[in-house]
Amino acid sequence: MRLSKYFMPTMKDNPSDAQIASHRLMIRAGMIRQSASGIYSWLPTGFKVLRKLENIVHEEQVRAGHIPMLMPTLQSADLWRESGRYDDYGKEMLRISDRHGRDMLYGPTNEELITDIFRDNVQSYKDLPMTLYHIQWKFRDEVRPRFGVMRGREFFMKDGYNFDVDKDSALHAYNRHMVSYLRTYERMGMKALPMRADSGPIGGEDTHEFLVLADTGESEVFYDKAILDLHLGDRAVDYDSWDQCAEIAREWTTPYARTDETHDPELFAQIPSERQGQSRGIEVGQIFYFGTKYSDAMNAKVVNDQGREVPVHMGSHGIGVSRMLGAIIEASHDENGIIWPEAVTPFGVGIVNLKQGDDDTDAACEALYKSATLLGLDPLYDDRKERAGAKFSTMELIGLPWRITVGPRGLKNGVVELTCRKTGESEELTAELALEKLAKIYQGL
RNA sequence: CGGGCUAUAGCGCAGUCUGGUAGCGCGUUCGUCUGGGGGACGAGAGGUCGCAGGUUCGAACCCUGCUAGCCCGACCA
């Protein structure tokens, strides 16, 4: 993409009503614009990152054997009356009525709808286990939206639902989700720690939240620092293996890690003091096992291998995709702007032309831009007639992990400059070598 | 939902107390110079002062009502 032809309205000044880094930076980098309290338009750059996160979530869900679908944002109140949550959910649920006066609502989650679909179409244990999910906009009418997309009213979320014939199978689904979530966050370049949590309005017997550590997090978290050293890496995971999923889940849930909601000071005190970690965290996902809560309420049954009808065991799982975007920025930025992990960056590399209008420099940039595009590096070429300082500042603000600087001085020696956003380190090398190096970095992400 | 605050150009703000021609910085447009960290100079464009009503010869400013947004707290993916 040529910056001169793109739509990325950046700002030098901080907007007055954005308080935290991710909110400020997303607005300044031209990623979002507020349309109403807690409701945002996603400008091209923000949308691009959102789609990348969404794709990673999809890929990891499918890898774990889960089946994508799409449910509507608007739901009928009837199903929610059946589960009893129409009254329980309170004012957080946006209630509306259609022209016939029928009670509708903008879905804050989808347990009722998916259970309805399931019970109408699945009757036998032979169709189980089954996990369905979708990634869709949700609306929760928060009393006090804030922090940009981190705590918006409208948000983009992956929510999935597993259906199993018995508890053991459902617990495997729980473990399988934990593993697939760990992998999802790792692929995004983030560390999100599973922590024992409260079940809240979803209800249930077991639940873990996933938290990204960041100073601006809304929860106080306590953990054994040993958990920070755990990595899934590229280990081969068989998502059908109950043992392997349980083993990985055990690995991550054995070190102490809890939010203030479930914190147990006595247990925490037993950890060697040098390993006691305490900080703030941003919740970016949660998994639940809630047994037959919804299947009982909504009469979702299957016939088991004994020929008897039994209520299905269920769980639900969510990843806040739009919130994740904010969380990544919170965890990865500096005073100059965002620092994107390679896996989710809006563009793979920024090309800065230091002397726009100079024949040689322009030609070198054009050639570089073309090669980078062919290599799939998705470059952003700053071809504006701006001075060097402005171009550097823009690149740093929007946070591309790599920058290639092309100027007459380097070209005289046949080199360009490759700069890492994270470390700030630069090296001079030929354009070919720079691209080769980047291609290697982006390979296999 | 309790407490506090704000609304003036795309963004950040002054002007309101004490009513009398709508301002500043950044951005933006054009020109000249400049050219490796948001450069300089010159010339422009851009505002129903959140909305409605009232007081007044006259309201961004005073009064009343409304709306929107933000902050702290309690609550939440």
Side-chain angles (χ1 to χ4, degrees):
Chain A
M1 179 60 63
R2 292 166 199 276
L3 189 47
S4 66
K5 304 239 191 305
Y6 198 47
F7 177 53
M8 190 176 71
T10 56
M11 291 180 350
K12 216 163 152 181
D13 292 326
N14 281 320
S16 66
D17 51 9
Q19 301 299 312
I20 63 168
S22 60
H23 190 191
R24 277 202 309 267
L25 290 171
M26 286 181 77
I27 291 174
R28 285 190 52 205
M31 299 177 70
I32 54 168
R33 286 294 182 266
Q34 179 165 302
S35 113
S37 178
I39 301 176
Y40 292 85
S41 292
W42 294 77
L43 306 190
T45 313
F47 181 58
K48 209 154 182 260
V49 178
L50 191 66
R51 279 283 176 258
K52 284 202 168 184
L53 293 173
E54 182 186 9
N55 283 338
I56 291 176
V57 172
H58 269 303
E59 285 174 15
E60 291 307 322
Q61 286 302 301
V62 169
R63 194 197 304 276
H66 307 158
I67 307 168
M69 60 181 291
L70 186 62
M71 288 177 272
T73 53
L74 294 180
Q75 303 180 22
S76 159
D78 293 345
L79 286 173
W80 287 70
R81 293 207 173 91
E82 199 177 333
S83 72
R85 284 209 293 180
Y86 191 66
D87 295 325
D88 294 349
Y89 222 93
K91 289 190 171 176
E92 248 187 40
M93 186 154 75
L94 181 66
R95 295 150 206 264
I96 45 191
S97 56
D98 68 12
R99 66 192 300 165
H100 303 291
R102 286 185 287 244
D103 293 328
M104 309 286 290
L105 57 96
Y106 196 121
T109 176
N110 288 66
E111 279 83 2
E112 282 77 0
L113 195 46
I114 194 74
T115 305
D116 182 52
I117 291 168
F118 179 87
R119 69 180 172 186
D120 283 353
N121 297 284
V122 178
Q123 284 83 33
S124 163
Y125 77 98
K126 288 179 187 170
D127 293 322
L128 303 186
M130 181 188 287
T131 296
L132 301 168
Y133 78 95
H134 72 160
I135 305 181
Q136 175 64 292
W137 292 94
K138 307 288 189 294
F139 195 92
R140 293 186 192 172
D141 200 357
E142 296 280 343
V143 214
R144 191 182 159 209
R146 66 187 120 164
F147 304 152
V149 299
M150 298 255 290
R151 179 98 181 264
R153 292 194 290 173
E154 187 183 50
F155 57 99
F156 199 47
M157 176 175 159
K158 172 260 164 181
D159 48 320
Y161 307 87
N162 66 282
F163 301 91
D164 289 86
V165 72
D166 57 28
K167 182 170 181 176
D168 284 346
S169 176
L171 288 178
H172 169 242
Y174 187 88
N175 291 334
R176 189 178 65 233
H177 276 86
M178 182 170 294
V179 177
S180 72
Y181 275 28
L182 288 169
R183 188 165 183 150
T184 302
Y185 296 123
E186 261 192 34
R187 266 195 67 189
M188 292 173 178
M190 299 302 298
K191 186 170 282 289
L193 308 176
M195 302 196 176
R196 185 160 298 282
D198 272 344
S199 57
I202 308 271
E205 299 174 27
D206 205 356
T207 174
H208 280 84
E209 289 180 338
F210 291 80
L211 287 104
V212 169
L213 301 183
D215 296 339
T216 41
E218 293 189 82
S219 321
E220 185 80 27
V221 298
F222 305 84
Y223 54 94
D224 180 341
K225 287 178 182 168
I227 197 174
L228 297 175
D229 298 328
L230 299 177
H231 298 282
L232 265 182
D234 50 7
R235 69 176 95 170
V237 176
D238 177 2
Y239 284 102
D240 291 328
S241 163
W242 290 27
D243 288 345
Q244 196 185 3
C245 289
E247 179 50 37
I248 294 172
R250 198 175 306 125
E251 194 181 337
W252 258 268
T253 53
T254 302
Y256 186 91
R258 297 196 183 186
T259 67
D260 43 9
E261 287 174 348
T262 51
H263 181 51
D264 181 339
E266 280 183 31
L267 271 178
F268 189 61
Q270 291 171 17
I271 304 167
S273 59
E274 70 276 9
R275 270 171 40 202
Q276 290 180 4
Q278 182 178 352
S279 64
R280 310 288 298 178
I282 301 165
E283 190 195 333
V284 292
Q286 189 161 10
I287 55 177
F288 299 90
Y289 164 68
F290 46 66
T292 59
K293 177 181 158 91
Y294 293 92
S295 44
D296 284 337
M298 298 182 65
N299 202 33
K301 293 177 176 167
V302 292
V303 173
N304 69 9
D305 58 0
Q306 313 290 309
R308 293 211 185 81
E309 274 199 333
V310 292
V312 289
H313 285 251
M314 295 174 60
S316 72
H317 337 85
I319 292 180
V321 179
S322 48
R323 170 182 281 192
M324 189 68 205
L325 207 158
I328 291 172
I329 297 175
E330 284 302 324
S332 181
H333 70 273
D334 63 18
E335 65 280 3
N336 295 321
I338 302 166
I339 304 174
W340 289 114
E342 274 100 358
V344 301
T345 181
F347 297 95
V349 58
I351 299 173
V352 169
N353 184 340
L354 287 180
K355 197 168 184 182
Q356 204 74 44
D358 175 82
D359 287 345
D360 293 342
T361 318
D362 285 0
C365 284
E366 288 294 335
L368 184 61
Y369 176 58
K370 203 168 283 176
S371 310
T373 304
L374 286 174
L375 280 169
L377 289 173
D378 193 13
L380 179 66
Y381 172 26
D382 190 345
D383 60 340
R384 298 172 303 165
K385 191 147 180 47
E386 289 284 347
R387 295 171 67 88
K391 292 191 176 186
F392 290 145
S393 297
T394 298
M395 282 298 172
E396 276 154 18
L397 174 62
I398 68 172
L400 306 189
W402 297 95
R403 182 182 86 206
I404 297 179
T405 309
V406 182
R409 195 190 291 171
L411 286 180
K412 227 182 294 171
N413 304 317
V415 295
V416 297
E417 189 181 61
L418 180 64
T419 307
C420 173
R421 174 68 179 85
K422 191 171 187 174
T423 63
E425 284 164 14
S426 291
E427 58 178 319
E428 294 201 328
L429 67 186
T430 64
E432 291 70 31
L433 280 174
L435 290 177
E436 201 175 295
K437 181 170 175 175
L438 290 178
K440 215 168 279 175
I441 289 169
Y442 280 100
Q443 213 166 37
L445 273 181

